[in-house]
Amino acid sequence: MKVFCTGASGYIGGSVAAHLVATGHQVTGLVRSQEKADAVRARGIQPLLGTLEDAERLAQAAHAADIVVNAASADHTGAVAALLGALAGSGKPFIHTSGSSIIGTRARGHRSEAIFDESTPITPSPARAARVALNDRILSCRGKGCRPVIICPSLIYGLGHGVEQHTTNLRRIFDTLLQLRPAFRVHALQPGVEDLDFQSEAHPCAVE
């Protein structure tokens, strides 16, 4: 199938695109520079130069694809609107990468027995209210001839398979801790981190 993937040179999007190429799909990836275009082309991905602000270019790419994967930004409403507008009435899948922080609580590192699934009501923090609203907007397109799927990964770790092989999230956490210089030790690793290989396979599974 023909897949259009935003964030194709990024940590998550690049690994998703690499997995799609490896499984026989024809992938076109949105990139912001000629340098990144050359890098993704070397990995079997057809580059499309542009940004999430290029609504017309996004719409054209989505219209030409069989599947659209948005792995560039969980919060860019303009890009989502352009992609969904192009897919309306097509019956094509739209796979949007959000994040598990939409159900974040003030647990402060303590284990919680709360379980969330697709039917669980969400009361997001003020920082994630707009993201949840965007997710709701995406899911509302089910009745408009589109097949939306939202994937909410947690904190992802592992070596990337695309152009960007390293996550910056864990680095930021440890940089902050080093700046604070606390005396600390890790007692246990709680669920809340996710292997990148698993995440890379989740997007194609959502299509199947």
mmCIF file of all heavy atoms in Angstrom, residues 84-121:
data_model
loop_
_atom_site.group_PDB
_atom_site.id
_atom_site.type_symbol
_atom_site.label_atom_id
_atom_site.label_comp_id
_atom_site.label_asym_id
_atom_site.label_seq_id
_atom_site.Cartn_x
_atom_site.Cartn_y
_atom_site.Cartn_z
ATOM 1 N N LEU A 84 -7.338 15.288 7.491
ATOM 2 C CA LEU A 84 -8.693 14.740 7.604
ATOM 3 C C LEU A 84 -9.595 15.259 6.490
ATOM 4 O O LEU A 84 -10.446 14.524 5.985
ATOM 5 C CB LEU A 84 -9.290 15.089 8.964
ATOM 6 C CG LEU A 84 -8.702 14.356 10.171
ATOM 7 C CD1 LEU A 84 -9.338 14.884 11.454
ATOM 8 C CD2 LEU A 84 -8.928 12.853 10.052
ATOM 9 N N GLY A 85 -9.388 16.511 6.108
ATOM 10 C CA GLY A 85 -10.190 17.068 5.014
ATOM 11 C C GLY A 85 -9.958 16.313 3.725
ATOM 12 O O GLY A 85 -10.899 16.057 2.957
ATOM 13 N N ALA A 86 -8.711 15.933 3.479
ATOM 14 C CA ALA A 86 -8.385 15.194 2.255
ATOM 15 C C ALA A 86 -8.919 13.769 2.294
ATOM 16 O O ALA A 86 -9.200 13.182 1.251
ATOM 17 C CB ALA A 86 -6.870 15.178 2.050
ATOM 18 N N LEU A 87 -9.046 13.208 3.498
ATOM 19 C CA LEU A 87 -9.478 11.813 3.626
ATOM 20 C C LEU A 87 -10.990 11.647 3.751
ATOM 21 O O LEU A 87 -11.486 10.518 3.686
ATOM 22 C CB LEU A 87 -8.805 11.183 4.857
ATOM 23 C CG LEU A 87 -7.287 11.064 4.812
ATOM 24 C CD1 LEU A 87 -6.765 10.510 6.136
ATOM 25 C CD2 LEU A 87 -6.847 10.175 3.657
ATOM 26 N N ALA A 88 -11.710 12.736 3.929
ATOM 27 C CA ALA A 88 -13.161 12.649 4.120
ATOM 28 C C ALA A 88 -13.825 11.916 2.963
ATOM 29 O O ALA A 88 -13.590 12.227 1.795
ATOM 30 C CB ALA A 88 -13.743 14.052 4.256
ATOM 31 N N GLY A 89 -14.634 10.921 3.305
ATOM 32 C CA GLY A 89 -15.367 10.166 2.298
ATOM 33 C C GLY A 89 -14.554 9.118 1.574
ATOM 34 O O GLY A 89 -15.071 8.435 0.692
ATOM 35 N N SER A 90 -13.290 8.944 1.933
ATOM 36 C CA SER A 90 -12.419 8.014 1.205
ATOM 37 C C SER A 90 -12.412 6.608 1.798
ATOM 38 O O SER A 90 -12.034 5.648 1.126
ATOM 39 C CB SER A 90 -10.981 8.550 1.200
ATOM 40 O OG SER A 90 -10.432 8.518 2.514
ATOM 41 N N GLY A 91 -12.774 6.495 3.069
ATOM 42 C CA GLY A 91 -12.687 5.205 3.750
ATOM 43 C C GLY A 91 -11.268 4.806 4.119
ATOM 44 O O GLY A 91 -11.033 3.683 4.565
ATOM 45 N N LYS A 92 -10.316 5.724 3.959
ATOM 46 C CA LYS A 92 -8.915 5.405 4.226
ATOM 47 C C LYS A 92 -8.588 5.554 5.720
ATOM 48 O O LYS A 92 -9.177 6.370 6.417
ATOM 49 C CB LYS A 92 -7.997 6.327 3.426
ATOM 50 C CG LYS A 92 -8.133 6.195 1.916
ATOM 51 C CD LYS A 92 -7.256 7.219 1.218
ATOM 52 C CE LYS A 92 -7.392 7.149 -0.293
ATOM 53 N NZ LYS A 92 -6.563 8.183 -0.973
ATOM 54 N N PRO A 93 -7.610 4.783 6.210
ATOM 55 C CA PRO A 93 -7.196 4.911 7.608
ATOM 56 C C PRO A 93 -6.363 6.168 7.841
ATOM 57 O O PRO A 93 -5.534 6.536 7.012
ATOM 58 C CB PRO A 93 -6.345 3.658 7.859
ATOM 59 C CG PRO A 93 -6.609 2.749 6.701
ATOM 60 C CD PRO A 93 -6.951 3.634 5.551
ATOM 61 N N PHE A 94 -6.592 6.788 8.994
ATOM 62 C CA PHE A 94 -5.768 7.897 9.460
ATOM 63 C C PHE A 94 -5.264 7.516 10.843
ATOM 64 O O PHE A 94 -6.048 7.392 11.792
ATOM 65 C CB PHE A 94 -6.570 9.197 9.528
ATOM 66 C CG PHE A 94 -5.799 10.347 10.132
ATOM 67 C CD1 PHE A 94 -4.708 10.873 9.476
ATOM 68 C CD2 PHE A 94 -6.183 10.902 11.348
ATOM 69 C CE1 PHE A 94 -3.985 11.936 10.022
ATOM 70 C CE2 PHE A 94 -5.473 11.959 11.901
ATOM 71 C CZ PHE A 94 -4.379 12.483 11.237
ATOM 72 N N ILE A 95 -3.963 7.304 10.976
ATOM 73 C CA ILE A 95 -3.370 6.861 12.235
ATOM 74 C C ILE A 95 -2.639 8.040 12.850
ATOM 75 O O ILE A 95 -1.650 8.531 12.310
ATOM 76 C CB ILE A 95 -2.421 5.676 12.015
ATOM 77 C CG1 ILE A 95 -3.156 4.552 11.300
ATOM 78 C CG2 ILE A 95 -1.867 5.181 13.352
ATOM 79 C CD1 ILE A 95 -2.269 3.404 10.893
ATOM 80 N N HIS A 96 -3.133 8.477 13.986
ATOM 81 C CA HIS A 96 -2.598 9.667 14.652
ATOM 82 C C HIS A 96 -1.852 9.261 15.909
ATOM 83 O O HIS A 96 -2.353 8.479 16.723
ATOM 84 C CB HIS A 96 -3.744 10.614 15.011
ATOM 85 C CG HIS A 96 -3.331 11.852 15.734
ATOM 86 N ND1 HIS A 96 -2.676 12.895 15.114
ATOM 87 C CD2 HIS A 96 -3.476 12.218 17.044
ATOM 88 C CE1 HIS A 96 -2.452 13.856 15.996
ATOM 89 N NE2 HIS A 96 -2.916 13.461 17.170
ATOM 90 N N THR A 97 -0.643 9.782 16.086
ATOM 91 C CA THR A 97 0.169 9.479 17.257
ATOM 92 C C THR A 97 -0.043 10.549 18.319
ATOM 93 O O THR A 97 0.342 11.696 18.143
ATOM 94 C CB THR A 97 1.658 9.401 16.888
ATOM 95 O OG1 THR A 97 1.825 8.563 15.742
ATOM 96 C CG2 THR A 97 2.471 8.842 18.045
ATOM 97 N N SER A 98 -0.676 10.157 19.410
ATOM 98 C CA SER A 98 -0.919 11.059 20.531
ATOM 99 C C SER A 98 0.041 10.686 21.660
ATOM 100 O O SER A 98 1.236 10.542 21.417
ATOM 101 C CB SER A 98 -2.383 10.956 20.972
ATOM 102 O OG SER A 98 -2.677 11.860 22.016
ATOM 103 N N GLY A 99 -0.442 10.519 22.871
ATOM 104 C CA GLY A 99 0.442 10.144 23.977
ATOM 105 C C GLY A 99 -0.357 9.818 25.222
ATOM 106 O O GLY A 99 -1.470 10.317 25.421
ATOM 107 N N SER A 100 0.201 8.981 26.075
ATOM 108 C CA SER A 100 -0.508 8.554 27.277
ATOM 109 C C SER A 100 -0.586 9.646 28.338
ATOM 110 O O SER A 100 -1.284 9.492 29.344
ATOM 111 C CB SER A 100 0.161 7.312 27.878
ATOM 112 O OG SER A 100 1.489 7.608 28.272
ATOM 113 N N SER A 101 0.088 10.768 28.114
ATOM 114 C CA SER A 101 0.008 11.861 29.088
ATOM 115 C C SER A 101 -1.389 12.463 29.154
ATOM 116 O O SER A 101 -1.692 13.214 30.086
ATOM 117 C CB SER A 101 1.021 12.960 28.752
ATOM 118 O OG SER A 101 0.754 13.529 27.482
ATOM 119 N N ILE A 102 -2.258 12.128 28.210
ATOM 120 C CA ILE A 102 -3.635 12.636 28.258
ATOM 121 C C ILE A 102 -4.389 12.089 29.465
ATOM 122 O O ILE A 102 -5.409 12.658 29.869
ATOM 123 C CB ILE A 102 -4.414 12.318 26.965
ATOM 124 C CG1 ILE A 102 -4.506 10.804 26.746
ATOM 125 C CG2 ILE A 102 -3.786 13.027 25.765
ATOM 126 C CD1 ILE A 102 -5.405 10.412 25.585
ATOM 127 N N ILE A 103 -3.902 10.985 30.045
ATOM 128 C CA ILE A 103 -4.533 10.444 31.241
ATOM 129 C C ILE A 103 -3.620 10.591 32.457
ATOM 130 O O ILE A 103 -3.789 9.906 33.466
ATOM 131 C CB ILE A 103 -4.930 8.961 31.060
ATOM 132 C CG1 ILE A 103 -3.701 8.108 30.690
ATOM 133 C CG2 ILE A 103 -6.013 8.821 30.008
ATOM 134 C CD1 ILE A 103 -3.945 6.631 30.728
ATOM 135 N N GLY A 104 -2.649 11.464 32.338
ATOM 136 C CA GLY A 104 -1.705 11.670 33.430
ATOM 137 C C GLY A 104 -2.389 12.174 34.687
ATOM 138 O O GLY A 104 -3.359 12.937 34.630
ATOM 139 N N THR A 105 -1.893 11.723 35.836
ATOM 140 C CA THR A 105 -2.436 12.129 37.129
ATOM 141 C C THR A 105 -1.320 12.670 38.010
ATOM 142 O O THR A 105 -0.154 12.668 37.633
ATOM 143 C CB THR A 105 -3.097 10.940 37.853
ATOM 144 O OG1 THR A 105 -2.085 9.978 38.188
ATOM 145 C CG2 THR A 105 -4.143 10.277 36.961
ATOM 146 N N ARG A 106 -1.687 13.095 39.206
ATOM 147 C CA ARG A 106 -0.709 13.582 40.188
ATOM 148 C C ARG A 106 -0.258 12.449 41.098
ATOM 149 O O ARG A 106 -0.133 12.609 42.311
ATOM 150 C CB ARG A 106 -1.333 14.708 41.008
ATOM 151 C CG ARG A 106 -1.563 15.988 40.215
ATOM 152 C CD ARG A 106 -0.258 16.708 39.988
ATOM 153 N NE ARG A 106 -0.452 17.987 39.295
ATOM 154 C CZ ARG A 106 0.527 18.841 39.034
ATOM 155 N NH1 ARG A 106 1.760 18.536 39.412
ATOM 156 N NH2 ARG A 106 0.294 19.973 38.403
ATOM 157 N N ALA A 107 -0.020 11.278 40.533
ATOM 158 C CA ALA A 107 0.380 10.113 41.328
ATOM 159 C C ALA A 107 1.777 10.278 41.920
ATOM 160 O O ALA A 107 2.136 9.592 42.872
ATOM 161 C CB ALA A 107 0.337 8.864 40.470
ATOM 162 N N ARG A 108 2.568 11.164 41.341
ATOM 163 C CA ARG A 108 3.921 11.463 41.837
ATOM 164 C C ARG A 108 4.786 10.209 41.984
ATOM 165 O O ARG A 108 5.502 10.026 42.967
ATOM 166 C CB ARG A 108 3.838 12.216 43.171
ATOM 167 C CG ARG A 108 3.143 13.556 43.059
ATOM 168 C CD ARG A 108 3.170 14.308 44.367
ATOM 169 N NE ARG A 108 2.436 15.563 44.258
ATOM 170 C CZ ARG A 108 2.925 16.696 43.762
ATOM 171 N NH1 ARG A 108 4.180 16.707 43.317
ATOM 172 N NH2 ARG A 108 2.193 17.780 43.690
ATOM 173 N N GLY A 109 4.693 9.331 41.003
ATOM 174 C CA GLY A 109 5.552 8.156 40.990
ATOM 175 C C GLY A 109 5.002 6.948 41.700
ATOM 176 O O GLY A 109 5.583 5.861 41.625
ATOM 177 N N HIS A 110 3.864 7.109 42.399
ATOM 178 C CA HIS A 110 3.277 5.983 43.109
ATOM 179 C C HIS A 110 2.385 5.173 42.165
ATOM 180 O O HIS A 110 1.709 5.726 41.300
ATOM 181 C CB HIS A 110 2.463 6.471 44.304
ATOM 182 C CG HIS A 110 3.291 7.182 45.333
ATOM 183 N ND1 HIS A 110 4.199 6.536 46.139
ATOM 184 C CD2 HIS A 110 3.362 8.504 45.660
ATOM 185 C CE1 HIS A 110 4.792 7.410 46.937
ATOM 186 N NE2 HIS A 110 4.305 8.622 46.653
ATOM 187 N N ARG A 111 2.379 3.875 42.369
ATOM 188 C CA ARG A 111 1.574 3.010 41.528
ATOM 189 C C ARG A 111 0.084 3.318 41.703
ATOM 190 O O ARG A 111 -0.394 3.539 42.814
ATOM 191 C CB ARG A 111 1.824 1.544 41.866
ATOM 192 C CG ARG A 111 1.047 0.575 40.984
ATOM 193 C CD ARG A 111 1.248 -0.852 41.443
ATOM 194 N NE ARG A 111 2.612 -1.285 41.218
ATOM 195 C CZ ARG A 111 3.059 -1.780 40.063
ATOM 196 N NH1 ARG A 111 2.243 -1.875 39.025
ATOM 197 N NH2 ARG A 111 4.309 -2.161 39.935
ATOM 198 N N SER A 112 -0.630 3.321 40.587
ATOM 199 C CA SER A 112 -2.073 3.531 40.608
ATOM 200 C C SER A 112 -2.776 2.294 40.063
ATOM 201 O O SER A 112 -2.263 1.641 39.151
ATOM 202 C CB SER A 112 -2.449 4.746 39.751
ATOM 203 O OG SER A 112 -3.851 4.828 39.587
ATOM 204 N N GLU A 113 -3.913 1.977 40.626
ATOM 205 C CA GLU A 113 -4.688 0.828 40.166
ATOM 206 C C GLU A 113 -5.667 1.213 39.056
ATOM 207 O O GLU A 113 -6.420 0.376 38.582
ATOM 208 C CB GLU A 113 -5.453 0.196 41.336
ATOM 209 C CG GLU A 113 -4.552 -0.329 42.457
ATOM 210 C CD GLU A 113 -3.569 -1.375 41.965
ATOM 211 O OE1 GLU A 113 -3.949 -2.205 41.105
ATOM 212 O OE2 GLU A 113 -2.406 -1.360 42.432
ATOM 213 N N ALA A 114 -5.661 2.471 38.651
ATOM 214 C CA ALA A 114 -6.589 2.929 37.615
ATOM 215 C C ALA A 114 -6.281 2.252 36.286
ATOM 216 O O ALA A 114 -5.121 2.076 35.915
ATOM 217 C CB ALA A 114 -6.504 4.447 37.461
ATOM 218 N N ILE A 115 -7.325 1.865 35.572
ATOM 219 C CA ILE A 115 -7.204 1.244 34.253
ATOM 220 C C ILE A 115 -7.988 2.088 33.252
ATOM 221 O O ILE A 115 -9.146 2.439 33.497
ATOM 222 C CB ILE A 115 -7.740 -0.201 34.267
ATOM 223 C CG1 ILE A 115 -6.912 -1.065 35.224
ATOM 224 C CG2 ILE A 115 -7.711 -0.790 32.848
ATOM 225 C CD1 ILE A 115 -7.443 -2.471 35.385
ATOM 226 N N PHE A 116 -7.349 2.410 32.147
ATOM 227 C CA PHE A 116 -7.987 3.226 31.117
ATOM 228 C C PHE A 116 -8.097 2.425 29.824
ATOM 229 O O PHE A 116 -7.160 1.736 29.426
ATOM 230 C CB PHE A 116 -7.179 4.497 30.850
ATOM 231 C CG PHE A 116 -7.123 5.440 32.016
ATOM 232 C CD1 PHE A 116 -6.144 5.300 32.989
ATOM 233 C CD2 PHE A 116 -8.042 6.458 32.139
ATOM 234 C CE1 PHE A 116 -6.078 6.160 34.069
ATOM 235 C CE2 PHE A 116 -7.989 7.338 33.208
ATOM 236 C CZ PHE A 116 -7.003 7.189 34.179
ATOM 237 N N ASP A 117 -9.254 2.509 29.182
ATOM 238 C CA ASP A 117 -9.402 1.966 27.839
ATOM 239 C C ASP A 117 -10.149 2.996 26.996
ATOM 240 O O ASP A 117 -10.366 4.141 27.433
ATOM 241 C CB ASP A 117 -10.103 0.600 27.849
ATOM 242 C CG ASP A 117 -11.518 0.663 28.431
ATOM 243 O OD1 ASP A 117 -12.128 1.760 28.433
ATOM 244 O OD2 ASP A 117 -12.011 -0.386 28.884
ATOM 245 N N GLU A 118 -10.558 2.578 25.798
ATOM 246 C CA GLU A 118 -11.168 3.536 24.863
ATOM 247 C C GLU A 118 -12.471 4.138 25.387
ATOM 248 O O GLU A 118 -12.876 5.222 24.967
ATOM 249 C CB GLU A 118 -11.444 2.847 23.514
ATOM 250 C CG GLU A 118 -10.196 2.530 22.721
ATOM 251 C CD GLU A 118 -9.556 1.220 23.151
ATOM 252 O OE1 GLU A 118 -10.008 0.635 24.158
ATOM 253 O OE2 GLU A 118 -8.595 0.773 22.489
ATOM 254 N N SER A 119 -13.142 3.450 26.312
ATOM 255 C CA SER A 119 -14.438 3.932 26.793
ATOM 256 C C SER A 119 -14.340 4.684 28.116
ATOM 257 O O SER A 119 -15.338 5.198 28.622
ATOM 258 C CB SER A 119 -15.401 2.744 26.965
ATOM 259 O OG SER A 119 -14.895 1.828 27.926
ATOM 260 N N THR A 120 -13.138 4.782 28.689
ATOM 261 C CA THR A 120 -12.968 5.448 29.975
ATOM 262 C C THR A 120 -13.052 6.965 29.818
ATOM 263 O O THR A 120 -12.316 7.537 29.015
ATOM 264 C CB THR A 120 -11.605 5.089 30.601
ATOM 265 O OG1 THR A 120 -11.481 3.673 30.696
ATOM 266 C CG2 THR A 120 -11.487 5.699 31.991
ATOM 267 N N PRO A 121 -13.942 7.626 30.566
ATOM 268 C CA PRO A 121 -13.995 9.096 30.493
ATOM 269 C C PRO A 121 -12.667 9.695 30.951
ATOM 270 O O PRO A 121 -12.049 9.219 31.900
ATOM 271 C CB PRO A 121 -15.124 9.456 31.474
ATOM 272 C CG PRO A 121 -15.936 8.203 31.610
ATOM 273 C CD PRO A 121 -14.960 7.074 31.470
#
